[in-house]
Amino acid sequence: MIRVVLADDQAVVRAGFRMFLELAGDVEVVGEAASGPEAVALARAHRPDVVCMDVRMPGGNGLVATREITGLDDPVPAVLVVTTFDLDDYVFGALEAGASGFVLKDTHPDDLVDAVRRLTRGDGLIDRTVTRRVIAEFARRRPAPDTAPDGGVAPLTPRETEIVRMLARGLSNAEIAEELVVETSTVKSHLGRAMAKIGTRDRLQTVVWAYRTGVAAPDPD
């Protein structure tokens, strides 16, 4: 069973998410939190696979909670940001704090279940309707060269670098494989080695790393 903690200040929202997730048959909601500190406490106590986090909650900042949860010792829960806001400082702050993905609150229940399953497998994601806009915004917010890592921290091979750059453009493994004329399994292997070198847990955090370090750059207008 996939173990999930729900963090949202509205009880009716938590009840709806619990119903949708537990109807899937392979998901168990092990705790509900109405604030960031409660979410952190539940994550420490239950060590769920995924925490569905509302980043705007009274009585505790969801951004701080996300950073604390993703900083726990192994096994580290994945944080799925579930919000009504698709592009704002709260969402970007959560992703930069280590969240593995986000979906909008009006997403279809099946997509919410799929998101939880994907994060459990280590596949970070962003809602399909905003993927490219989020990537573009990360590119715009990329740190200046003098604040980025020196590039020697995680020496990637030329092929690994190429694949990470394509991932940062929003391409799937299958799309990368098609463009490079290789097998999808080959792309997955290269990406896995790259993620191990740079210390990222999932695809989304790999994109964040790529733009922060300058490995990936925004497409020219």
Side-chain angles (χ1 to χ4, degrees), residues 25-43:
D26 60 345
V27 180
E28 176 187 8
V29 175
V30 297
E32 295 184 21
S35 70
E38 288 181 16
V40 174
L42 287 173

Side-chain angles (χ1 to χ4, degrees), residues 92-142:
F92 288 112
L95 296 178
E96 290 169 350
S100 294
F102 91 86
V103 294
L104 304 182
K105 282 188 177 179
D106 62 358
T107 191
H108 192 280
D110 289 345
D111 290 334
L112 176 63
V113 173
D114 179 63
V116 167
R117 288 170 176 161
R118 289 182 61 180
L119 263 64
T120 302
R121 297 195 301 264
D123 297 333
L125 83 160
I126 306 174
D127 189 287
R128 288 189 296 271
T129 63
V130 293
T131 296
R132 296 193 182 279
R133 286 188 294 149
V134 169
I135 290 174
E137 181 65 9
F138 269 125
R140 188 184 69 79
R141 297 185 181 201
R142 180 167 56 87

Side-chain angles (χ1 to χ4, degrees), residues 8 21 35 38-39 62 70 74 76 104 113 116 130 185 187 206:
D8 194 291
L21 291 171
S35 70
E38 288 181 16
T70 58
D74 288 334
V76 180
L104 304 182
V113 173
V116 167
V130 293
S185 58
V187 172
T206 302

Side-chain angles (χ1 to χ4, degrees), residues 175-197:
E175 291 168 333
I176 294 172
E178 182 178 1
E179 191 164 321
L180 297 179
V181 195
V182 297
E183 296 293 328
T184 303
S185 58
T186 300
V187 172
K188 186 175 181 180
S189 295
H190 281 300
L191 184 57
R193 285 193 292 270
M195 290 167 61
K197 289 180 179 180

